Amino acid sequence: MNRPTDPHQMVQAATPTGTTEGYMPGFGNDFETEALPGALPQGMNSPQKCNYGLYGEQLSGTAFTANPPERTWTYRIRPSVKHSHRYTKIDLPFWKSAPNVDPDVVSLGQYRWDPVAYTDEKLTWLTGMRTMTTAGDVNTQVGMASHIYLVTESMVDSYFYSADSELLVVPQEGHLRFATELGIIDLEPKEIAIIPRGLVYRVEVLEGPCRGFVCENYGQKYELPGRGPIGANAMANPRDFKAPVAAFEDREAPSTLTIKWCGQFHSTQIGQSPLDVVAWHGNYAPYKYDLRTYCPVGAILFDHPDPSIFTVLTAPSGVPGTANIDFVLFRERWMVAENTFRPPWYHKNIMSELMGNIYGQYDAKPKGFVPGGMSLHNMMLPHGPDKTAFEGASNADLKAEKLDNTMSFMFETRFPQHLTRFAAKDAPMQDDYIDCWSDIEKKFDGTPGTK
Ligand SMILES: O=C(O)Cc1cc(O)ccc1O
Ligand SMILES: [Fe+2]
């Protein structure tokens, strides 16, 4: 067990034998963890008096009667209802929620952005969030928002939770620490984290500046996609998802708690750190996942399958097979298909595709889609390889080829995505993006045979 030496170091539970330090493996497991011995009641949830004078409190992430229900029992120094003032609305003008349809902004189109640049401005997780697109409606818990974050400063005596959403965090540069009620998640590029709806946390900069992408999921929680005929292994394997062990701080200091609720931000003053959960058990918890453990399955003879084969996590929408959000990963892999145009095909899709580049080069766009950059191919708008990618791939010698040093992803939603004013006017949009297709030649001349 660690003892705190500075205000931001928490007392952390010992790690169960054989697991990565500070984390417990498994997707959606029913975990139990305690940072002080005997803090977790055994065999029951609500003893008349909890050990150490702790308060028992349940955090429900699904309806009580959902199947399966997801909830966590926390044993904490104070119940979280102990805050001293009412909530005051505050303004975080760059963090938008759906519906956010700006009459001056055209969302219909193919768009691409260079990385949003750091400035001299000091930015925290809250002030550094820049919404790029929104889809659906936060009030009916349908849809999503995509954001870029630029974070240079740790939150100090400042805590946050989103009642609106589960956050999928995809770092591109820098190392962040999510000190949450349920424990600590350290996060760096090539990893992702999921922060559940309702969970209080503080974000610290371990190595800055930090830039990355966030998909805010207003709907049902992310789950592992069914693998169907692929079977019980490959793609994202459950044991590679890691939930933190319990960690707490007993810290009395005037602090601010900010809540995102129905698209608006509110804050209240509290006299202590809310990260005071000494022990917990349950299946509603934050987790992280190392994208390098994703085992891609692909074409081993001919043709290019749909990108759904690369789904890491899927958030259902209620319509079977039609996700509110799919998180899809394009990582290093071998290309071996014979007599095949190997990059993505030209296509139109009812789903809206927002992509981000974590590092390297993406096969359909060898130039222009750079690390830290994003692109949007909105509902039913045609897109596909640029002229260079098309010419290269249709004339390539089709030997086995490793796509190396490449990691891009897609937030794919069944809902159209609307650009924010920031995305349309302030972010570094590439005005000439659609020119990447304009030189595609007509090869047809009425005579048979390949050209
Ligand atoms: O548009 C894109 O680049 C994403 C994508 C990749 C792929 O392999 C197939 C379809 C698709 O939309
Ligand atoms: Fe696409």
Side-chain angles (χ1 to χ4, degrees), residues 304-307 310 330 333 343-345 347 349 353 355 362 364-365 377 383-384 410 412:
H304 179 107
D306 292 336
F310 297 144
F330 303 98
R333 61 200 183 275
W345 7 255
H347 60 291
N349 187 356
E353 304 179 11
M355 293 191 62
Y362 179 66
K365 304 281 162 34
H377 303 119
H383 60 283
M410 179 158 71
E412 189 179 15

Side-chain angles (χ1 to χ4, degrees), residues 108-179:
L108 182 156
Q110 300 88 346
Y111 295 103
R112 192 163 68 190
W113 294 267
D114 285 325
V116 177
Y118 304 103
T119 65
D120 292 342
E121 205 180 347
K122 293 181 182 346
L123 296 169
T124 66
W125 182 249
L126 299 184
T127 57
M129 200 65 75
R130 302 277 176 272
T131 308
M132 297 293 288
T133 64
T134 65
D137 186 343
V138 73
N139 284 288
T140 51
Q141 302 187 346
V142 161
M144 48 89 66
S146 71
H147 315 277
I148 288 270
Y149 65 80
L150 299 174
V151 179
T152 60
E153 303 292 310
S154 296
M155 293 163 71
V156 178
D157 295 325
S158 163
Y159 305 89
F160 173 69
Y161 74 89
S162 172
D164 285 344
S165 46
E166 173 184 44
L167 261 54
L168 162 61
V169 185
V170 186
Q172 189 260 324
E173 271 179 354
H175 296 193
L176 289 173
R177 166 165 292 177
F178 292 80

Side-chain angles (χ1 to χ4, degrees), residues 46 110 135 249 326 330 361 386-387 393 407 443:
S46 303
Q110 300 88 346
E249 58 195 6
D326 279 330
F330 303 98
Q361 222 179 42
D386 63 19
K387 154 108 176 155
M407 196 176 269
K443 296 179 191 280

Side-chain angles (χ1 to χ4, degrees), residues 52-360:
Y52 295 97
L54 297 171
Y55 291 84
E57 179 173 321
Q58 184 175 214
L59 173 61
S60 290
T62 64
F64 297 142
T65 45
N67 191 12
E70 292 188 35
R71 58 85 187 90
T72 283
W73 274 96
T74 59
Y75 298 90
R76 54 194 314 153
I77 298 173
R78 312 158 193 88
S80 39
V81 68
K82 190 173 155 63
H83 53 72
S84 44
H85 297 286
R86 299 221 162 263
Y87 298 100
T88 314
K89 223 179 252 185
I90 61 160
D91 210 20
L92 288 172
F94 291 106
W95 191 334
K96 301 288 188 200
S97 294
N100 181 255
V101 181
D102 188 318
D104 298 334
V105 166
V106 179
S107 295
L108 182 156
Q110 300 88 346
Y111 295 103
R112 192 163 68 190
W113 294 267
D114 285 325
V116 177
Y118 304 103
T119 65
D120 292 342
E121 205 180 347
K122 293 181 182 346
L123 296 169
T124 66
W125 182 249
L126 299 184
T127 57
M129 200 65 75
R130 302 277 176 272
T131 308
M132 297 293 288
T133 64
T134 65
D137 186 343
V138 73
N139 284 288
T140 51
Q141 302 187 346
V142 161
M144 48 89 66
S146 71
H147 315 277
I148 288 270
Y149 65 80
L150 299 174
V151 179
T152 60
E153 303 292 310
S154 296
M155 293 163 71
V156 178
D157 295 325
S158 163
Y159 305 89
F160 173 69
Y161 74 89
S162 172
D164 285 344
S165 46
E166 173 184 44
L167 261 54
L168 162 61
V169 185
V170 186
Q172 189 260 324
E173 271 179 354
H175 296 193
L176 289 173
R177 166 165 292 177
F178 292 80
T180 82
E181 287 177 294
L182 300 185
I184 298 168
I185 290 185
D186 287 346
L187 199 67
E188 56 184 61
K190 305 180 191 178
E191 298 178 319
I192 58 167
I194 302 279
I195 310 294
R197 190 191 291 259
L199 188 77
V200 178
Y201 60 99
R202 166 182 74 218
V203 180
E204 297 163 26
V205 174
L206 296 182
E207 200 182 301
C210 302
R211 178 172 54 214
F213 312 91
V214 169
C215 186
E216 195 183 346
N217 173 16
Y218 304 145
Q220 245 176 285
K221 296 176 66 248
Y222 285 104
E223 49 190 53
L224 290 175
R227 294 192 191 84
I230 293 170
N233 302 288
M235 301 171 70
N237 288 302
R239 77 179 176 122
D240 295 320
F241 292 82
K242 316 273 181 191
V245 295
F248 73 95
E249 58 195 6
D250 182 9
R251 178 169 158 73
E252 314 243 344
S255 306
T256 305
L257 174 64
T258 302
I259 304 175
K260 179 174 192 282
W261 199 88
C262 292
Q264 291 174 332
F265 293 87
H266 308 75
S267 65
T268 188
Q269 302 310 312
I270 52 178
Q272 68 282 327
S273 168
L275 309 184
D276 64 357
V277 174
V278 178
W280 61 268
H281 79 86
N283 58 355
Y284 189 68
Y287 54 89
K288 74 174 195 170
Y289 173 73
D290 186 335
L291 295 170
R292 288 162 292 198
T293 64
Y294 185 83
C295 173
V297 170
I300 52 169
L301 191 57
F302 64 87
D303 273 357
H304 179 107
D306 292 336
S308 43
I309 53 169
F310 297 144
T311 304
V312 181
L313 289 168
T314 184
S317 76
V319 177
T322 309
N324 185 38
I325 306 159
D326 279 330
F327 174 63
V328 178
L329 182 71
F330 303 98
R331 68 159 303 187
E332 294 83 356
R333 61 200 183 275
W334 281 89
M335 304 297 263
V336 298
E338 297 171 359
N339 182 25
T340 290
F341 181 80
R342 288 177 175 174
W345 7 255
Y346 294 104
H347 60 291
K348 290 199 289 190
N349 187 356
I350 187 168
M351 308 279 282
S352 298
E353 304 179 11
L354 185 117
M355 293 191 62
N357 185 334
I358 302 170
Y359 61 81

